[in-house]
Amino acid sequence: MTMTESQAGAVGATAATPKPAAGRQRAYRIGYGYWWWALPAVALMLAFIYATTAGGAFYAFTNWTGIGSFDFIGLKNFTRIFQTEELTGALVNTLLLAFGFVLGSNILGLLFALALNRGLKTRYVLRTLLFMPVVIAPIAVSYIWKFIFAFDGPLNETLDAVGLKSWQRDWLADPKLALLAVLVVMVWQNIGFTMVIYLAGLATVPVELEEAAALDGAGPLRRFRSVTMPMIQPSIAIATTLSLIQGLRIFDQVIALTGGGPAGATQTLATEVYQHTFVFSNFGFGAALALVLSVLILIFTVVQQYATRDRL
């Protein structure tokens, strides 16, 4: 007994059509498996990052000295922070370094990325040279620059050689210039990092769009503003966010270059945390400073992500 053509076609269509229930079940199982693979990493993060951070935050409300018992003192540590001129100055220095670092490293990194994006035959060598400071330890870079900034160092000798002896300064001992010197070192070392981020963004910009804009009579600035910049917005968001976080928690360069001096002119929240915790053995107050710094980083990061949420 044979089937008609319509019956055979119906059977074939039924056999070719996948079962939706099985498909949904298979996708659900794969998605559920992803959570199992992530559980070890999540557990380690909860144990070694969030749990320890919560423990440190608890001591911010105590007067613990690192040894023996302690008393719960509420918000007295935080009141002291915002009522002490030295600590509010450290907060201001932290913000100045952070925003100066974001502007300097991103502007210069973007300019170098645009210059070395395409066209130059030596662009790969130049990219490597610009990125080399990133892989050197910040403490080593800072000691090199400390030698450069010394009164009898290469910078002042160069100024003397070109007839600018009146410009010679003890750069790290001048309260008005020390913070700027620290910022120069920070920006110089991070240019290569932001350049790489922007180079990755520029690689996604189609050459045809730039050529079409040029044929329409758009100049270099107009092409950058109307074509290039909108397409590298994700790179801008990533680079500025990472630079902001790095600038807010600056520590190595300050310790190596100035130690927080002269007269506290370069103190930051991170250096204050170190001094109060490990030098003065005031762990409770140091924990309060660390908590203020963590909250500050969290607030600025959330604001930055919110401002660039449509670009990621």
Side-chain angles (χ1 to χ4, degrees):
M1 186 175 181
T2 60
M3 293 185 295
T4 63
E5 292 183 359
S6 59
Q7 291 175 330
V11 172
T14 303
T17 304
K19 297 180 179 180
R24 286 197 300 270
Q25 186 178 6
R26 182 164 55 252
Y28 174 76
R29 287 178 178 175
I30 293 176
Y32 188 66
Y34 287 155
W35 284 102
W36 283 107
W37 283 106
L39 276 179
V42 172
L44 290 174
M45 182 174 293
L46 290 174
F48 291 101
I49 296 180
Y50 292 101
T52 54
T53 301
F58 168 77
Y59 287 109
F61 301 92
T62 69
N63 61 354
W64 190 44
T65 61
I67 301 176
S69 60
F70 55 84
D71 296 323
F72 186 80
I73 60 174
L75 299 176
K76 289 184 179 180
N77 285 332
F78 300 96
T79 304
R80 177 185 168 190
I81 291 174
F82 294 103
Q83 289 181 348
T84 305
E85 184 178 354
E86 176 188 350
L87 298 176
T88 54
L91 175 60
V92 172
N93 289 340
T94 301
L95 295 177
L96 289 176
L97 286 175
F99 289 108
F101 180 63
V102 170
L103 291 175
S105 61
N106 281 273
I107 291 174
L108 293 175
L110 179 57
L111 290 176
F112 277 112
L114 291 171
L116 303 179
N117 183 32
R118 60 175 76 97
L120 289 177
K121 294 182 179 180
T122 59
R123 62 185 181 275
Y124 298 110
V125 176
L126 295 175
R127 290 178 185 177
T128 303
L129 293 175
L130 284 170
F131 190 77
M132 282 181 62
V134 179
V135 301
I136 303 175
I139 197 76
V141 170
S142 300
Y143 278 119
I144 293 172
W145 276 93
K146 187 174 184 178
F147 167 70
I148 295 174
F149 283 132
F151 187 77
D152 56 349
L155 178 58
N156 281 336
E157 290 182 359
T158 303
L159 292 174
D160 187 17
V162 298
L164 297 175
K165 190 173 182 178
S166 61
W167 287 23
Q168 290 181 332
R169 297 285 188 279
D170 194 350
W171 301 93
L172 298 177
D174 190 338
K176 297 181 180 179
L177 298 174
L179 194 67
L180 180 61
V182 173
L183 180 60
V184 168
V185 177
M186 293 169 58
V187 171
W188 179 83
Q189 188 174 15
N190 199 64
I191 289 175
F193 181 73
T194 54
M195 179 195 69
V196 168
I197 295 176
Y198 287 123
L199 282 173
L202 291 172
T204 64
V205 180
V207 180
E208 295 79 7
L209 290 180
E210 296 181 352
E211 293 176 349
L215 291 175
D216 289 339
L221 292 178
R222 181 61 184 275
R223 292 200 301 271
F224 173 76
R225 186 174 67 252
S226 302
V227 177
T228 306
M229 191 171 179
M231 300 196 69
I232 63 170
Q233 285 291 345
S235 297
I236 295 175
I238 294 171
T240 53
T241 300
L242 295 178
S243 300
L244 183 61
I245 295 173
Q246 186 176 352
L248 288 171
R249 58 184 181 87
I250 180 66
F251 176 78
D252 295 353
Q253 291 88 340
V254 175
I255 290 295
L257 289 169
T258 65
T266 58
Q267 285 281 22
T268 64
L269 287 178
T271 59
E272 291 285 357
V273 170
Y274 167 76
Q275 290 183 354
H276 283 278
T277 304
F278 300 105
V279 178
F280 304 139
S281 296
N282 194 346
F283 281 76
F285 190 70
L289 283 168
L291 183 59
V292 170
L293 179 59
S294 300
V295 171
L296 192 67
I297 293 174
L298 177 63
I299 290 174
F300 280 108
T301 303
V302 170
V303 171
Q304 172 70 8
Q305 292 296 311
Y306 179 80
T308 59
R309 66 190 187 283
D310 295 331
R311 306 287 190 262
L312 297 176

